[in-house]
Amino acid sequence: MTSGACSVRVSRVTKQYGDFVAVGDLSFEVQRGIIYGILGPNGAGKTTTLRMLNDILLPDSGEIRLLDNLAPGAEAARRIGYLPEERGLYPKMKVGDTLVFFAELRGLRRRDALRQSGLWLERLKIADWHDNKVQDLSKGMQQKVQFASALIHDPELLILDEPWSGLDPINADVLRDVVLAQKEAGRTILFSTHLMEQAEKICDSVCIIARGRKAIEGDLEELKRSAAAEGMIVLAFASEADEARAREGVLRADFLETFRPCKEGLEVQLQRGHKPAELMAALVEARIDVSRFEHKQPSLHQIFVDKVGEQADTAMSGRSSEAARE
């Protein structure tokens, strides 16, 4: 892919702290005009990666290019909107003044800054709080102010670190709609999250990382189709007796990787290289009646578990629970 087709190109980037590898030999490309998710559990290296894109941290090796083949730095920053994971608002400043301040920092004249501030406060449904101090707002509302500050100068590239963390479902939907509108306007959005459900709703492409290294990358729908083709079958049985006999016999066959309960019945994963017809033949031979036998396209969460492993999934689930309590 040529640099002109990319908003972000990361080539073999590594960042270490002593012997600890925060990001290891990471490469990915983000095409212009798409929504791209950097996904993984807490500690995977997502925030470190985004900080290197924003010239907050320097990589130890590798290369980063942004927009028109720019290195991270002042020139690229003028065209980027960045929402950091650790929010940075001034608690005693009024909400409206905060947005004007950030807009002027990004180069807008005061008249334009005032106009853009009003538009974003309306868009994010916090206009009634214009004259309140930031400290008077809930955590979720403060996050919306921070989100507006990242968008107020109309950037070409949005880099959002955990944008949905701590938001209730209604405000999460508002921000998701804004992100989708930015894509429709031709912007590129790159965000990190540990919330696979949110990512699955809006991503065009994803890069899943764990322990600082890339586990899988690509177009989301293609990844899901590929995972389905690898042999995920949903089974439901005509009776409890049929299911019990299947668990004791057919489902212990060497060509099966694993099986697990799902709301439709059982998800059965075939060993690589084996075909669903083998499973069907085994069920027929054992005279086990089934009421459902179909290929299943796995969720993004399931792809994550299959590619990264249960240990990282446990870390991610813990972080999700923490976010839900905030």
Side-chain angles (χ1 to χ4, degrees), residues 82-95:
Y82 176 46
L83 175 71
E85 182 181 28
E86 296 178 358
R87 314 307 189 215
L89 298 175
Y90 297 98
K92 296 188 181 299
M93 187 178 286
K94 292 182 179 179
V95 171

Side-chain angles (χ1 to χ4, degrees), residues 241-262:
D242 284 306
E243 180 174 344
R245 288 197 296 122
R247 286 175 175 268
E248 293 171 2
V250 173
L251 296 182
R252 297 181 181 274
D254 290 341
F255 61 83
L256 297 184
E257 179 72 29
T258 186
F259 65 89
R260 50 186 166 255
C262 65

Side-chain angles (χ1 to χ4, degrees), residues 16-21:
Q16 292 186 229
Y17 298 97
D19 294 332
F20 174 69
V21 180

Side-chain angles (χ1 to χ4, degrees), residues 78-197:
R78 288 194 290 269
R79 299 162 63 182
I80 294 172
Y82 176 46
L83 175 71
E85 182 181 28
E86 296 178 358
R87 314 307 189 215
L89 298 175
Y90 297 98
K92 296 188 181 299
M93 187 178 286
K94 292 182 179 179
V95 171
D97 293 341
T98 296
L99 290 185
V100 170
F101 171 71
F102 278 108
E104 291 181 325
L105 283 181
R106 293 294 192 175
L108 271 66
R109 285 184 280 187
R110 186 164 185 82
R111 181 180 61 186
D112 294 330
L114 288 166
R115 179 176 56 83
Q116 286 293 97
S117 171
L119 289 174
W120 277 109
L121 289 173
E122 289 287 346
R123 182 74 178 275
L124 296 177
K125 306 183 188 305
I126 49 176
D128 290 345
W129 295 81
H130 179 278
D131 294 324
N132 286 79
K133 293 180 179 180
V134 168
Q135 66 187 16
D136 297 334
L137 275 60
S138 67
K139 182 176 180 180
M141 292 176 69
Q142 288 183 25
Q143 190 162 335
K144 290 167 80 171
V145 174
Q146 185 90 59
F147 188 72
S149 73
L151 291 162
I152 198 163
H153 60 297
D154 198 22
E156 298 171 49
L157 171 63
L158 298 178
I159 299 177
L160 312 174
D161 197 353
E162 295 285 358
W164 286 281
S165 179
L167 289 179
D168 61 70
I170 293 175
N171 283 323
D173 286 345
V174 171
L175 262 63
R176 187 170 63 248
D177 289 345
V178 172
V179 168
L180 290 170
Q182 291 296 304
K183 177 192 171 183
E184 288 298 315
R187 279 53 166 187
T188 304
I189 300 95
L190 184 154
F191 71 90
S192 74
T193 188
H194 62 282
L195 302 174
M196 297 293 166
E197 182 179 353

Side-chain angles (χ1 to χ4, degrees), residues 235-289:
L235 282 179
F237 298 90
S239 69
E240 291 183 2
D242 284 306
E243 180 174 344
R245 288 197 296 122
R247 286 175 175 268
E248 293 171 2
V250 173
L251 296 182
R252 297 181 181 274
D254 290 341
F255 61 83
L256 297 184
E257 179 72 29
T258 186
F259 65 89
R260 50 186 166 255
C262 65
K263 64 181 180 180
E264 300 93 347
L266 293 178
E267 288 180 352
V268 180
Q269 178 68 55
L270 303 180
Q271 291 272 9
R272 186 178 297 276
H274 290 274
K275 304 297 183 184
E278 295 177 63
L279 175 58
M280 177 59 80
L283 291 166
V284 170
E285 184 177 355
R287 296 188 177 183
I288 295 172
D289 290 335

Side-chain angles (χ1 to χ4, degrees), residues 193-213:
T193 188
H194 62 282
L195 302 174
M196 297 293 166
E197 182 179 353
Q198 287 289 353
E200 188 162 12
K201 289 177 181 178
I202 66 170
C203 280
D204 298 301
S205 295
V206 299
C207 178
I208 295 176
I209 60 177
R211 295 174 289 277
R213 298 185 181 274

